[in-house]
């Protein structure tokens, strides 16, 4: 498979590895060194990282970076490519307490899970998606109206369908369902079909 030109890759499905650095505990020695495109792990008893402990990545976000910063640089381009017909996916993984939930759901977490207000990547991505869809509908309607010399109106409407899944302890949880009603094994047909709908295009790694 030849990757699209926008990926700057030549063969295969492109994967961007993005690292977000957790602020850590004040006064505790940091065991990593970072630059814009590299993460280096300093082992206990060492002052400098060894070559085998250095990893090149697409981009590193420091502890001062906000969810808005991550969205603007790494997520927003994917939203636009999604509307062009490409399959995109954002996957977060990391140790417990690394900040995955805060990144996805924002600083207010569960308080905004059922609300349109929030500063997590999920809220920011959905907000931009609907803004772009609306803008596309308006621009198409204006173009059609100009060609037909008629007053502009909505040229067409969009139908959006989504699923919200969590994989944990070999269970696939439908976060749109209440309680445990939406929990199924990861190997279930329902879960596998939804996971197959996306191709990995960017990967956000928590440290």
């Amino acid at each position: 498979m030849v990757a699209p030109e926008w990926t700057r890759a030549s063969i295969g499905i492109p994967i961007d590895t993005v690292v977000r650095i957790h602020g850590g505990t004040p006064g505790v020695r940091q065991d990593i060194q970072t630059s814009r495109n590299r993460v280096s792990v300093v082992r206990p008893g060492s002052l400098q990282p060894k070559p085998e402990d250095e990893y090149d990545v697409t981009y590193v976000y420091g502890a001062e970076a906000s969810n808005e910063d991550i969205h603007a640089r790494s997520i927003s381009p994917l939203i636009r490519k999604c509307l062009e017909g490409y399959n995109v996916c954002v996957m977060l993984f990391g140790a417990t307490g690394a900040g995955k939930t805060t990144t996805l759901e924002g600083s207010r977490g569960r308080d905004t899970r059922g609300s349109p207000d929030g500063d997590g990547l999920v809220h920011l991505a959905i907000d931009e998606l609907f803004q772009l869809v609306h803008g596309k509908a308006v621009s198409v309607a204006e173009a059609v109206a100009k060609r037909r010399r008629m007053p502009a109106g909505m040229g067409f409407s969009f139908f959006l369908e989504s699923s919200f899944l969590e994989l944990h302890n070999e269970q696939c949880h439908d976060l749109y369902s209440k309680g445990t009603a939406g929990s199924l094994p990861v190997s279930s047909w329902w879960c596998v079909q939804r996971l197959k709908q996306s191709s990995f295009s960017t990967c956000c790694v928590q440290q």
Side-chain angles (χ1 to χ4, degrees), residues 3-67:
E5 183 179 353
W6 64 273
T7 63
R8 301 180 184 176
S10 56
I11 298 212
I13 297 176
I15 298 178
D16 287 343
T17 304
V18 179
V19 177
R20 185 179 197 182
I21 303 300
H22 192 283
T25 304
V28 177
R29 176 179 178 267
Q30 296 293 321
D31 58 357
I32 57 174
Q33 297 177 1
T34 63
S35 61
R36 182 176 180 179
N37 301 105
R38 174 170 292 188
V39 176
S40 304
V41 180
V42 181
R43 299 192 183 191
S46 300
L47 297 178
Q48 296 294 328
K50 297 181 179 180
E52 61 267 25
D53 295 327
E54 296 183 335
Y55 305 93
D56 291 330
V57 297
T58 305
Y59 196 79
V60 177
Y61 291 96
E64 72 285 351
S66 66
N67 286 343

Side-chain angles (χ1 to χ4, degrees), residues 132-153:
L132 292 174
V133 166
H134 176 75
K136 177 169 283 196
V138 171
S139 63
V140 170
E142 291 176 348
V144 171
K146 183 177 181 181
R147 178 172 297 181
R148 296 180 178 178
R149 298 181 180 179
M150 296 173 59

Side-chain angles (χ1 to χ4, degrees), residues 16-200:
D16 287 343
T17 304
V18 179
V19 177
R20 185 179 197 182
I21 303 300
H22 192 283
T25 304
V28 177
R29 176 179 178 267
Q30 296 293 321
D31 58 357
I32 57 174
Q33 297 177 1
T34 63
S35 61
R36 182 176 180 179
N37 301 105
R38 174 170 292 188
V39 176
S40 304
V41 180
V42 181
R43 299 192 183 191
S46 300
L47 297 178
Q48 296 294 328
K50 297 181 179 180
E52 61 267 25
D53 295 327
E54 296 183 335
Y55 305 93
D56 291 330
V57 297
T58 305
Y59 196 79
V60 177
Y61 291 96
E64 72 285 351
S66 66
N67 286 343
E68 287 81 2
D69 295 331
I70 297 174
H71 172 80
R73 183 181 181 89
S74 298
I75 307 301
S76 182
L78 295 181
I79 300 297
R80 296 176 183 275
K81 288 302 172 184
C82 178
L83 287 182
E84 293 177 10
Y86 294 98
N87 291 332
V88 301
C89 177
V90 178
M91 181 181 72
L92 276 68
F93 69 91
T96 300
K100 301 182 296 298
T101 301
T102 301
T103 299
L104 282 178
E105 299 185 358
S107 58
R108 286 169 283 175
R110 296 180 182 276
D111 294 337
T112 57
R113 180 172 289 181
S115 166
D117 300 319
D119 58 353
L121 292 186
V122 172
H123 288 88
L124 297 174
I126 292 177
D127 283 346
E128 181 170 6
L129 176 62
F130 276 96
Q131 290 174 13
L132 292 174
V133 166
H134 176 75
K136 177 169 283 196
V138 171
S139 63
V140 170
E142 291 176 348
V144 171
K146 183 177 181 181
R147 178 172 297 181
R148 296 180 178 178
R149 298 181 180 179
M150 296 173 59
M154 283 293 185
F156 52 88
S157 58
F158 288 88
F159 174 77
L160 301 180
E161 182 179 5
S162 68
S163 57
F164 197 7
L165 309 179
E166 177 186 53
L167 303 181
H168 181 67
N169 287 340
E170 298 301 318
Q171 290 287 313
C172 183
H173 305 280
D174 182 359
L175 298 184
Y176 284 150
S177 298
K178 295 183 178 180
T180 59
S183 298
L184 292 170
V186 172
S187 58
S188 67
W189 182 90
W190 182 87
C191 183
V192 171
Q193 292 304 310
R194 276 155 179 76
L195 293 176
K196 282 183 177 179
Q197 291 175 358
S198 298
S199 297
F200 291 101

